[in-house]
Amino acid sequence: MPEGSRPAPPRHPGSSRRRGRTIPKGRQLVPSAHDEVRALLGDAPRRPDLLIEFLHLIQDEYGHLSAAHLVALGEELHMAQAEVYEVATFYAHFDVVKEGEAVPPPVTVRVCENLSCNLAGAEKLIADLNVTAGADVRVVRAPCMGHCHTAPVAEVGHYFVDHADAAAVSKAIAEHRHEPVVPTYKELDAYRADGGYRTLERLRNGGLSREQLVDIVDKAGLRGCGGAGFPTARKWKSVLGEPGPRLMAVNADEGEPGTFKDRYFLETDPHRVLEGMLMAAHLVEAADIYFYLRDEYPECREILTREIARLELAGLLAGTRVHLRRGAGAYICGEESAMIESIEGKRGLPRHKPPLPFQVGIFGRPTLINNPETLYWVRDLVERGPEWWTGQGRNGRKGLHVYSVSGRVANPGVKIAPAGVTVRELIDEFCGGMQHGHTLKAYVPGGPSSGILPASIGDIPLDFGTLEPHGSFIGSAAVVILSDKDDIKDAALNLMRFFMDESCGQCTPCRVGTEKAVKLMGARGWNETLLNELSVAMRDASICGLGQAAPNSVTSVMKHFPSDVGIVR
């Protein structure tokens, strides 16, 4: 034995020497998948906040998200696989395929199953498609797509079939219609010919001061049109009170079933929204604007992509950067803090408040958030004056309101009407009356969150603050009309199923409460005591407005339609 060496210790019988791991734990990077992801990303900056945008690139290219591509994307972004996976599986429009699972068929048909489409025969459409669709077609139930006035609607790829039946959908599949059809809209040159962007230029060159702009909007009393109705001028002042740098976000994620007004503005007169956006951004000195658009609006995405590029070429952005961000099928991202999380490339989980977004918003900066309809009116208020706005209205209310009307009316659609019209006035004067053979029985005044009200109180002005005494609110002004031929219990259950499916799952009162409510509402007769207790728990303990407002569809029906749900008093 060499000098200084020691003999090896004796090994126990049956023992074996432990060998080191030859490969690291977890999924391994597949070179071919890595090359494919790098080719898709091109020269785009590798930032975590772009994760959802990159997931869309992969989904659009391959029709699904494979495990190999998710690993490769994590490698490119220097993110843990778990971070990428949790985001990809949160959003409904991403098809994550695990190892060993079959990839989805080449064609996906989404059929809206929410209230307006349900009234128009969505269940029959789904049943028919399940019989007629071939093996290479997948039929999926989907939440509201913003085509409530052309119900029922089906989406083949990104092509929409309005007033759909199985034959029309099959024709679209056979003709390979998978891409969106961009409608005719007012482009930049036409908008500028009508005086567009002159008001923005006045603001930028000092002809209209920031103080004057805020004062005009304040005197008009313009309120946020996304659902909460917060005074616009007060929100602007709150953001201005925070130290810079500041950011701005446009919340175009209108996912409330029955709502499609923002889509209407973006598909007809997008520059009126964009001018209002740039004016608000100039006001709060936001150099970066994040325009968050729901994924169900591919036509709007194409329009905005074109027109924002034209604004850049025309020099009208003046150094302001507009980042068009695409949602991925999550209603909860309409809640402003969940939208911020999504913009940052994360799951759309609502934040605890305070702090509020105007204090700590995108990337921790003070952030102004407005919705498209609110911004649409800014130019008119400046050019026509606040007196023009306050001179509108009916039944003691002031201003104009944009109502998305669907359901059992003769002429559904977007209706710009005096604020304060009643539902009867809205139906008779703006919608051509009820459908033939139908009589008004009930109505949803402001989307599922507002509950269901009876025709007996159909003479209440539809505006902010008028419906609260009746346990409701105007919300997003998504008005769905129900008739004597509709089942109120089924309608309420349809609304609650929507909330159950769209709950982000972060808090127990909402996640478990909506599921429990669906089970209780499916019974022959409703347990009023138990449903009331559940509603109180959801309202008091849910983190955000989804869980807090979901019980309205239950409590309103128990109050106004007890016999329809088997409650005997």
Side-chain angles (χ1 to χ4, degrees):
M1 181 179 296
E3 186 178 353
S5 65
R6 294 182 180 179
R11 297 175 63 188
H12 294 286
S15 68
S16 60
R17 186 180 298 275
R18 184 175 182 180
R19 297 180 179 179
R21 184 179 294 276
T22 58
I23 60 173
K25 292 182 179 180
R27 299 187 186 277
Q28 303 308 302
L29 183 66
V30 178
S32 60
H34 195 191
D35 291 340
E36 290 167 348
V37 168
R38 281 188 294 196
L40 281 176
L41 269 55
D43 296 330
R46 272 48 169 179
R47 300 198 315 262
D49 63 288
L50 294 173
L51 172 59
I52 295 172
E53 297 299 307
F54 295 154
L55 289 171
H56 275 302
L57 289 177
I58 300 172
Q59 174 76 37
D60 290 344
E61 178 69 19
Y62 296 100
H64 65 282
L65 302 175
S66 68
H69 283 143
L70 292 180
V71 172
L73 183 57
E75 180 73 14
E76 282 294 295
L77 298 179
H78 304 290
M79 296 177 67
Q81 293 179 26
E83 292 179 285
V84 176
Y85 185 81
E86 71 175 4
V87 172
T89 54
F90 179 84
Y91 296 92
H93 289 183
F94 293 141
D95 294 308
V96 178
V97 177
K98 301 177 183 177
E99 289 183 0
E101 290 183 344
V103 301
V107 178
T108 295
V109 177
R110 288 186 169 87
V111 180
C112 176
E113 65 173 349
N114 285 141
L115 185 56
S116 298
C117 285
N118 184 270
L119 296 176
E123 288 299 325
K124 181 180 185 304
L125 175 58
I126 294 171
D128 290 346
L129 288 173
N130 282 327
V131 173
T132 60
D136 60 344
V137 177
R138 175 179 59 159
V139 180
V140 178
R141 291 175 176 270
C144 184
M145 301 177 187
H147 287 244
C148 317
H149 57 309
T150 56
V153 65
E155 185 184 16
V156 181
H158 293 303
Y159 175 80
F160 287 94
V161 182
D162 293 322
H163 303 296
D165 57 22
V169 173
S170 298
K171 181 180 179 182
I173 295 171
E175 295 177 353
H176 303 287
R177 296 184 181 179
H178 301 157
E179 297 304 317
V181 176
V182 178
T184 301
Y185 64 93
K186 182 175 284 189
E187 300 182 10
L188 176 59
D189 290 344
Y191 182 74
R192 296 187 76 177
D194 288 341
Y197 292 105
R198 292 179 188 171
T199 303
L200 173 64
E201 292 298 331
R202 282 183 58 210
L203 181 64
R204 285 175 172 171
N205 63 29
L208 172 69
S209 69
R210 287 182 168 88
E211 293 76 15
Q212 287 175 316
L213 175 60
V214 174
D215 186 59
I216 289 170
V217 173
D218 192 18
K219 287 180 177 178
L222 181 67
R223 302 177 69 164
C225 305
F230 194 82
T232 302
R234 192 189 306 174
K235 177 180 286 190
W236 288 356
K237 291 176 184 177
S238 298
V239 177
L240 284 168
E242 297 295 317
R246 308 180 189 95
L247 299 174
M248 180 179 178
V250 180
N251 187 348
D253 192 61
E254 56 171 3
E256 191 91 355
T259 311
F260 46 92
K261 55 187 177 60
D262 290 346
R263 170 176 165 258
Y264 169 81
F265 290 130
L266 294 174
E267 288 186 353
T268 56
D269 199 359
H271 283 284
R272 194 171 289 269
V273 175
L274 293 173
E275 182 170 11
M277 173 191 77
L278 291 172
M279 291 176 68
H282 179 84
L283 172 73
V284 300
E285 300 175 332
D288 288 274
I289 304 170
Y290 292 84
F291 200 116
Y292 190 85
L293 180 70
R294 64 186 306 217
D295 197 31
E296 290 85 350
Y297 288 174
E299 302 95 339
C300 296
R301 186 170 64 252
E302 178 62 29
I303 291 170
L304 289 170
T305 301
R306 291 179 190 175
E307 299 308 311
I308 291 172
R310 287 171 178 167
L311 287 176
E312 178 71 32
L313 289 174
L316 289 169
L317 293 184
T320 305
R321 294 174 293 273
V322 182
H323 310 271
L324 183 57
R325 292 297 176 87
R326 179 178 172 187
Y331 163 73
I332 191 63
C333 290
E335 196 276 337
E336 59 183 7
S337 66
M339 178 194 67
I340 290 172
E341 291 287 297
S342 188
I343 288 172
E344 294 179 354
K346 306 173 201 172
R347 294 175 295 167
L349 301 180
R351 296 176 177 178
H352 292 271
K353 301 172 185 177
L356 295 169
F358 78 86
Q359 300 166 311
V360 180
I362 302 171
F363 307 128
R365 297 181 180 179
T367 302
L368 170 65
I369 302 175
N370 287 134
N371 91 307
E373 184 195 339
T374 306
L375 298 171
Y376 178 88
W377 293 116
V378 172
R379 175 188 165 191
D380 273 330
L381 290 180
V382 174
E383 294 180 357
R384 301 188 183 193
E387 296 78 13
W388 163 77
W389 182 263
T390 56
Q392 312 286 331
R394 190 179 293 186
N395 299 315
R397 314 304 296 180
K398 295 180 180 180
L400 294 170
H401 221 114
V402 183
Y403 302 91
S404 305
V405 188
S406 60
R408 303 299 191 181
V409 292
N411 300 311
V414 170
K415 312 296 177 181
I416 301 177
V421 296
T422 68
V423 72
R424 294 187 188 279
E425 293 170 338
L426 190 63
I427 293 170
D428 294 339
E429 298 178 33
F430 295 88
C431 300
M434 295 288 291
Q435 288 180 0
H436 180 70
H438 291 263
T439 301
L440 177 65
K441 178 178 181 178
Y443 64 103
V444 176
S449 301
S450 66
I452 302 175
L453 299 180
S456 59
I457 54 174
D459 296 318
I460 303 170
L462 297 175
D463 198 19
F464 299 111
T466 58
L467 299 169
E468 280 75 359
H470 301 277
S472 185
F473 50 84
I474 189 62
S476 60
V479 183
V480 183
I481 305 300
L482 303 171
S483 80
D484 55 334
K485 292 180 170 53
D486 297 318
D487 188 310
I488 298 297
K489 178 182 175 182
D490 285 349
L493 189 54
N494 181 283
L495 300 182
M496 185 57 73
R497 282 192 181 122
F498 168 78
F499 289 122
M500 180 184 72
D501 292 339
E502 295 297 330
S503 173
C504 73
Q506 180 180 191
C507 68
T508 301
C510 178
R511 181 185 68 252
V512 177
T514 51
E515 182 180 2
K516 183 65 174 178
V518 166
K519 292 179 180 178
L520 292 172
M521 294 166 71
R524 184 183 298 272
W526 286 10
N527 186 326
E528 185 176 14
T529 300
L530 193 55
L531 281 168
N532 274 324
E533 290 177 358
L534 180 62
S535 298
V536 171
M538 292 174 66
R539 286 197 181 103
D540 290 349
S542 294
I543 290 175
C544 79
L546 190 154
Q548 295 164 9
N552 288 340
S553 60
V554 179
T555 54
S556 62
V557 168
M558 290 192 297
K559 177 180 179 180
H560 299 294
F561 304 95
S563 61
D564 289 61
V565 293
I567 295 176
V568 180
R569 292 173 179 161

